């Protein structure tokens, strides 16, 4: 675990956060979903989701800066890992059931729900690997939520058993598909709706820091 990941894991499991605040493994999936979303979502829209859809309450500016630094630092570390093909999601471990990947997939789905319509791009992608990657994630989410699937029980069980290894692979596939969308209409819309922010202006994520010291970093 990186220093940012360790700090977030400790903070999000502490007694000072609200009941609806994401657990670290859920945050991990959520950030991955934000990164591979076909449409850019600025931090000013998704940071509050981490805290149950509410504006985060911090004890002081120092704590706010430390938490936002950790969130954006971990966000950037996921991007770097995906770029290098070395993304390894954080899962909780249960002595009986092993790796608990389900919490990660629930976090990822919360990212999908922020821009649900734009994910259709992956369903219609001409690249079969991209389509399969997205449908694999949908399938895993349906398994978690006990939604009937088109596969047999045996196939579902096999997919469930392979989930910890499948998740980083399909996430990386979507990441590279996202990077290849140079003329996506969603990119244009996102850029048009995102105001120009100067390096010394307050960061739009709401951290209170200068843009050059926060999300631009």
């Amino acid at each position: 675990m990186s220093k940012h990941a360790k700090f977030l894991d400790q903070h999000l499991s502490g007694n000072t956060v609200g009941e609806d605040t994401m657990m670290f493994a859920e945050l991990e999936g959520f950030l991955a979903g934000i990164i591979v979303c076909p449409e850019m979502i600025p931090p000013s829209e998704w940071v509050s989701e981490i805290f149950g859809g509410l504006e985060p309450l911090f004890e002081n500016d120092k704590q706010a800066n430390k938490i936002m630094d950790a969130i954006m630092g971990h966000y950037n570390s996921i991007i770097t890992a995906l770029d290098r093909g070395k993304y390894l999601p954080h899962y909780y471990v249960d002595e009986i059931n092993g790796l608990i990947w389900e919490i990660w997939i629930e976090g990822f789905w919360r990212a999908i729900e922020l821009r649900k319509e734009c994910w259709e791009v992956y369903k219609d992608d001409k690249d079969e690997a991209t389509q399969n990657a997205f449908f694999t994630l949908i399938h895993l989410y349906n398994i978690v939520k006990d939604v009937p699937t088109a596969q047999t029980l045996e196939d579902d069980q096999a997919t469930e058993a392979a989930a910890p290894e499948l998740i980083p692979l399909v996430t990386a596939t979507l990441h590279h598909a996202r990077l290849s969308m140079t003329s996506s209409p969603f990119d244009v819309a996102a850029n048009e709706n995102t105001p120009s922010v100067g390096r010394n202006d307050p960061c739009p994520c709401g951290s209170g820091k200068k843009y050059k010291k926060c999300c631009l970093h």
Side-chain angles (χ1 to χ4, degrees):
M1 262 194 185
S2 68
K3 64 176 183 179
H4 292 310
K6 288 179 180 178
F7 171 76
L8 288 171
D9 189 21
Q10 182 178 18
H11 176 73
L12 296 176
S13 60
N15 297 324
T16 60
V17 298
E19 291 183 0
D20 296 325
T21 298
M22 293 182 184
M23 294 183 286
F24 179 68
E26 186 177 9
L27 171 64
E28 174 98 5
F30 179 72
L31 292 178
I34 294 295
I35 291 165
V36 305
C37 179
E39 179 178 341
M40 186 192 74
I41 308 177
S44 57
E45 291 187 33
W46 55 257
V47 167
S48 64
E49 291 297 316
I50 299 171
F51 302 93
L54 303 173
E55 288 299 318
L57 296 176
F58 303 116
E59 294 178 0
N60 48 51
D61 290 344
K62 183 178 180 180
Q63 186 195 51
N65 291 337
K66 188 174 182 179
I67 293 172
M68 287 306 305
D69 276 347
I71 290 172
M72 298 312 300
H74 192 52
Y75 172 91
N76 288 326
S77 70
I78 293 174
I79 293 175
T80 299
L82 287 169
D83 286 341
R84 296 175 179 175
K86 296 182 178 181
Y87 176 52
L88 296 174
H90 175 85
Y91 306 120
Y92 292 126
V93 181
D94 181 85
E95 292 183 1
I96 298 176
N97 299 311
L99 297 175
I100 309 298
W101 57 270
E102 292 88 344
I103 298 174
W104 185 99
I105 205 74
E106 289 182 344
F108 189 92
W109 201 261
R110 289 183 67 172
I112 289 180
E113 290 180 335
L114 291 178
R115 290 287 193 281
K116 213 164 188 179
E117 68 286 346
C118 78
W119 290 81
E120 296 292 327
V121 169
Y122 289 142
K123 292 181 180 180
D124 300 329
D125 199 289
K126 294 180 180 179
D127 181 60
E128 186 175 351
T130 300
Q131 283 191 14
N132 288 340
F134 182 58
F135 283 117
T136 295
L137 289 166
I138 292 177
H139 187 193
L140 290 174
Y141 181 75
N142 287 338
I143 289 174
V144 171
K145 294 301 180 181
D146 291 325
V147 176
T149 71
Q151 293 192 3
T152 65
L153 176 60
E154 290 75 15
D155 286 339
D156 279 349
Q157 290 174 338
T159 300
E160 186 173 359
E165 290 76 31
L166 284 174
I167 285 173
L169 294 176
V170 297
T171 303
T173 298
L174 294 185
H175 176 62
H176 292 297
R178 172 66 181 86
L179 294 178
S180 70
M181 292 179 182
T182 56
S183 60
S184 168
F186 298 115
D187 288 339
V188 175
N191 291 334
E192 288 178 349
N193 291 330
T194 303
S196 176
V197 181
R199 289 172 56 84
N200 292 308
D201 291 340
C203 187
C205 74
S207 67
K209 300 178 64 177
K210 290 183 179 180
Y211 182 49
K212 68 181 180 181
K213 293 290 187 178
C214 191
C215 296
L216 181 62
H217 179 63

Short mmCIF file of all heavy atoms in Angstrom, two decimals, residues 141-170:
data_model
loop_
_atom_site.label_atom_id
_atom_site.label_comp_id
_atom_site.label_asym_id
_atom_site.label_seq_id
_atom_site.Cartn_x
_atom_site.Cartn_y
_atom_site.Cartn_z
N TYR A 141 -21.32 -7.39 -11.22
CA TYR A 141 -22.23 -6.61 -10.39
C TYR A 141 -23.57 -7.34 -10.22
O TYR A 141 -24.13 -7.36 -9.12
CB TYR A 141 -22.46 -5.24 -11.00
CG TYR A 141 -23.37 -4.36 -10.17
CD1 TYR A 141 -22.91 -3.76 -9.00
CD2 TYR A 141 -24.71 -4.13 -10.54
CE1 TYR A 141 -23.74 -2.96 -8.22
CE2 TYR A 141 -25.54 -3.33 -9.77
CZ TYR A 141 -25.06 -2.75 -8.61
OH TYR A 141 -25.88 -1.96 -7.84
N ASN A 142 -24.06 -7.94 -11.29
CA ASN A 142 -25.31 -8.70 -11.21
C ASN A 142 -25.19 -9.89 -10.26
O ASN A 142 -26.14 -10.23 -9.55
CB ASN A 142 -25.73 -9.17 -12.60
CG ASN A 142 -26.25 -8.03 -13.46
OD1 ASN A 142 -26.68 -7.00 -12.96
ND2 ASN A 142 -26.22 -8.21 -14.77
N ILE A 143 -24.03 -10.52 -10.26
CA ILE A 143 -23.79 -11.62 -9.33
C ILE A 143 -23.87 -11.13 -7.89
O ILE A 143 -24.49 -11.75 -7.03
CB ILE A 143 -22.43 -12.29 -9.61
CG1 ILE A 143 -22.48 -13.07 -10.93
CG2 ILE A 143 -22.04 -13.23 -8.46
CD1 ILE A 143 -21.14 -13.65 -11.36
N VAL A 144 -23.24 -9.98 -7.64
CA VAL A 144 -23.24 -9.41 -6.29
C VAL A 144 -24.66 -9.09 -5.83
O VAL A 144 -25.03 -9.32 -4.68
CB VAL A 144 -22.37 -8.14 -6.24
CG1 VAL A 144 -22.54 -7.41 -4.91
CG2 VAL A 144 -20.91 -8.49 -6.45
N LYS A 145 -25.47 -8.57 -6.76
CA LYS A 145 -26.83 -8.14 -6.43
C LYS A 145 -27.87 -9.24 -6.64
O LYS A 145 -29.08 -8.99 -6.53
CB LYS A 145 -27.21 -6.91 -7.27
CG LYS A 145 -26.37 -5.68 -6.94
CD LYS A 145 -26.51 -5.30 -5.46
CE LYS A 145 -25.70 -4.09 -5.10
NZ LYS A 145 -25.83 -3.72 -3.67
N ASP A 146 -27.41 -10.46 -6.92
CA ASP A 146 -28.32 -11.60 -7.13
C ASP A 146 -29.31 -11.35 -8.26
O ASP A 146 -30.47 -11.80 -8.21
CB ASP A 146 -29.08 -11.94 -5.84
CG ASP A 146 -28.17 -12.52 -4.77
OD1 ASP A 146 -27.24 -13.26 -5.13
OD2 ASP A 146 -28.40 -12.24 -3.58
N VAL A 147 -28.87 -10.64 -9.27
CA VAL A 147 -29.70 -10.43 -10.47
C VAL A 147 -29.50 -11.63 -11.40
O VAL A 147 -28.35 -12.01 -11.67
CB VAL A 147 -29.30 -9.13 -11.20
CG1 VAL A 147 -30.09 -8.96 -12.48
CG2 VAL A 147 -29.50 -7.94 -10.28
N PRO A 148 -30.58 -12.25 -11.88
CA PRO A 148 -30.43 -13.41 -12.78
C PRO A 148 -29.58 -13.06 -14.01
O PRO A 148 -29.73 -11.99 -14.59
CB PRO A 148 -31.87 -13.74 -13.18
CG PRO A 148 -32.71 -13.19 -12.06
CD PRO A 148 -31.99 -11.94 -11.60
N THR A 149 -28.69 -13.96 -14.38
CA THR A 149 -27.85 -13.75 -15.55
C THR A 149 -28.19 -14.79 -16.61
O THR A 149 -28.92 -15.74 -16.36
CB THR A 149 -26.36 -13.86 -15.20
OG1 THR A 149 -26.05 -15.24 -14.93
CG2 THR A 149 -26.03 -13.02 -13.99
N ALA A 150 -27.62 -14.58 -17.80
CA ALA A 150 -27.89 -15.50 -18.92
C ALA A 150 -27.03 -16.75 -18.83
O ALA A 150 -27.23 -17.69 -19.61
CB ALA A 150 -27.64 -14.78 -20.25
N GLN A 151 -26.10 -16.78 -17.90
CA GLN A 151 -25.21 -17.93 -17.78
C GLN A 151 -25.78 -18.97 -16.82
O GLN A 151 -26.69 -18.69 -16.04
CB GLN A 151 -23.83 -17.48 -17.29
CG GLN A 151 -23.08 -16.61 -18.30
CD GLN A 151 -21.62 -16.43 -17.91
OE1 GLN A 151 -21.15 -16.99 -16.92
NE2 GLN A 151 -20.90 -15.64 -18.70
N THR A 152 -25.22 -20.16 -16.90
CA THR A 152 -25.61 -21.22 -15.98
C THR A 152 -25.04 -20.92 -14.61
O THR A 152 -24.12 -20.10 -14.45
CB THR A 152 -25.09 -22.59 -16.45
OG1 THR A 152 -23.65 -22.57 -16.41
CG2 THR A 152 -25.55 -22.88 -17.88
N LEU A 153 -25.57 -21.59 -13.59
CA LEU A 153 -25.07 -21.41 -12.23
C LEU A 153 -23.59 -21.76 -12.15
O LEU A 153 -22.82 -21.08 -11.48
CB LEU A 153 -25.88 -22.29 -11.26
CG LEU A 153 -25.42 -22.27 -9.80
CD1 LEU A 153 -25.51 -20.85 -9.23
CD2 LEU A 153 -26.25 -23.24 -8.97
N GLU A 154 -23.20 -22.82 -12.85
CA GLU A 154 -21.81 -23.25 -12.84
C GLU A 154 -20.90 -22.18 -13.46
O GLU A 154 -19.81 -21.90 -12.95
CB GLU A 154 -21.64 -24.57 -13.60
CG GLU A 154 -22.24 -25.78 -12.90
CD GLU A 154 -23.77 -25.82 -13.01
OE1 GLU A 154 -24.33 -25.07 -13.85
OE2 GLU A 154 -24.40 -26.59 -12.25
N ASP A 155 -21.36 -21.57 -14.56
CA ASP A 155 -20.57 -20.52 -15.21
C ASP A 155 -20.48 -19.28 -14.31
O ASP A 155 -19.43 -18.64 -14.24
CB ASP A 155 -21.19 -20.14 -16.55
CG ASP A 155 -20.96 -21.20 -17.61
OD1 ASP A 155 -20.04 -22.01 -17.45
OD2 ASP A 155 -21.72 -21.22 -18.61
N ASP A 156 -21.58 -18.95 -13.66
CA ASP A 156 -21.57 -17.81 -12.73
C ASP A 156 -20.58 -18.06 -11.59
O ASP A 156 -19.84 -17.15 -11.18
CB ASP A 156 -22.96 -17.57 -12.15
CG ASP A 156 -23.86 -16.80 -13.10
OD1 ASP A 156 -23.35 -16.27 -14.11
OD2 ASP A 156 -25.08 -16.73 -12.83
N GLN A 157 -20.57 -19.26 -11.09
CA GLN A 157 -19.66 -19.59 -10.00
C GLN A 157 -18.21 -19.51 -10.45
O GLN A 157 -17.33 -19.07 -9.70
CB GLN A 157 -19.98 -20.99 -9.45
CG GLN A 157 -21.31 -21.05 -8.69
CD GLN A 157 -21.69 -22.46 -8.30
OE1 GLN A 157 -21.23 -23.45 -8.90
NE2 GLN A 157 -22.55 -22.58 -7.28
N ALA A 158 -17.96 -19.94 -11.69
CA ALA A 158 -16.60 -19.87 -12.23
C ALA A 158 -16.17 -18.42 -12.41
O ALA A 158 -15.02 -18.05 -12.10
CB ALA A 158 -16.53 -20.62 -13.57
N THR A 159 -17.08 -17.58 -12.90
CA THR A 159 -16.77 -16.15 -13.06
C THR A 159 -16.53 -15.50 -11.71
O THR A 159 -15.60 -14.69 -11.54
CB THR A 159 -17.94 -15.43 -13.77
OG1 THR A 159 -18.15 -16.02 -15.06
CG2 THR A 159 -17.64 -13.94 -13.95
N GLU A 160 -17.33 -15.86 -10.74
CA GLU A 160 -17.19 -15.31 -9.38
C GLU A 160 -15.84 -15.69 -8.79
O GLU A 160 -15.17 -14.86 -8.16
CB GLU A 160 -18.33 -15.82 -8.51
CG GLU A 160 -18.36 -15.21 -7.13
CD GLU A 160 -19.59 -15.60 -6.34
OE1 GLU A 160 -20.44 -16.34 -6.89
OE2 GLU A 160 -19.72 -15.17 -5.19
N ALA A 161 -15.44 -16.93 -8.99
CA ALA A 161 -14.16 -17.39 -8.46
C ALA A 161 -12.98 -16.67 -9.11
O ALA A 161 -11.95 -16.42 -8.47
CB ALA A 161 -14.02 -18.90 -8.66
N ALA A 162 -13.14 -16.32 -10.39
CA ALA A 162 -12.06 -15.66 -11.12
C ALA A 162 -12.08 -14.15 -10.98
O ALA A 162 -11.18 -13.46 -11.47
CB ALA A 162 -12.14 -16.04 -12.60
N ALA A 163 -13.10 -13.61 -10.31
CA ALA A 163 -13.31 -12.15 -10.24
C ALA A 163 -12.08 -11.36 -9.79
O ALA A 163 -11.76 -10.34 -10.39
CB ALA A 163 -14.51 -11.84 -9.34
N PRO A 164 -11.38 -11.77 -8.72
CA PRO A 164 -10.23 -10.97 -8.27
C PRO A 164 -9.17 -10.77 -9.35
O PRO A 164 -8.53 -9.73 -9.41
CB PRO A 164 -9.68 -11.78 -7.09
CG PRO A 164 -10.85 -12.55 -6.57
CD PRO A 164 -11.63 -12.91 -7.81
N GLU A 165 -9.00 -11.79 -10.23
CA GLU A 165 -8.03 -11.67 -11.31
C GLU A 165 -8.62 -10.97 -12.53
O GLU A 165 -7.91 -10.27 -13.26
CB GLU A 165 -7.52 -13.06 -11.72
CG GLU A 165 -6.65 -13.75 -10.70
CD GLU A 165 -7.46 -14.33 -9.53
OE1 GLU A 165 -8.62 -14.74 -9.77
OE2 GLU A 165 -6.93 -14.36 -8.40
N LEU A 166 -9.92 -11.14 -12.75
CA LEU A 166 -10.57 -10.53 -13.91
C LEU A 166 -10.66 -9.01 -13.78
O LEU A 166 -10.47 -8.28 -14.76
CB LEU A 166 -11.98 -11.10 -14.10
CG LEU A 166 -12.12 -12.50 -14.68
CD1 LEU A 166 -13.59 -12.94 -14.64
CD2 LEU A 166 -11.61 -12.51 -16.12
N ILE A 167 -10.96 -8.53 -12.59
CA ILE A 167 -11.22 -7.11 -12.39
C ILE A 167 -10.06 -6.21 -12.87
O ILE A 167 -10.29 -5.26 -13.63
CB ILE A 167 -11.59 -6.83 -10.92
CG1 ILE A 167 -13.02 -7.30 -10.66
CG2 ILE A 167 -11.43 -5.36 -10.57
CD1 ILE A 167 -13.45 -7.24 -9.21
N PRO A 168 -8.82 -6.44 -12.46
CA PRO A 168 -7.75 -5.56 -12.96
C PRO A 168 -7.56 -5.66 -14.47
O PRO A 168 -7.22 -4.66 -15.12
CB PRO A 168 -6.51 -6.03 -12.20
CG PRO A 168 -6.83 -7.41 -11.73
CD PRO A 168 -8.31 -7.43 -11.49
N LEU A 169 -7.78 -6.83 -15.05
CA LEU A 169 -7.59 -7.01 -16.49
C LEU A 169 -8.63 -6.24 -17.29
O LEU A 169 -8.29 -5.51 -18.24
CB LEU A 169 -7.67 -8.50 -16.84
CG LEU A 169 -6.55 -9.40 -16.28
CD1 LEU A 169 -6.83 -10.85 -16.63
CD2 LEU A 169 -5.19 -8.96 -16.82
N VAL A 170 -9.90 -6.37 -16.90
CA VAL A 170 -10.95 -5.69 -17.66
C VAL A 170 -10.94 -4.19 -17.42
O VAL A 170 -11.27 -3.39 -18.29
CB VAL A 170 -12.34 -6.30 -17.37
CG1 VAL A 170 -12.39 -7.76 -17.81
CG2 VAL A 170 -12.71 -6.18 -15.90
#
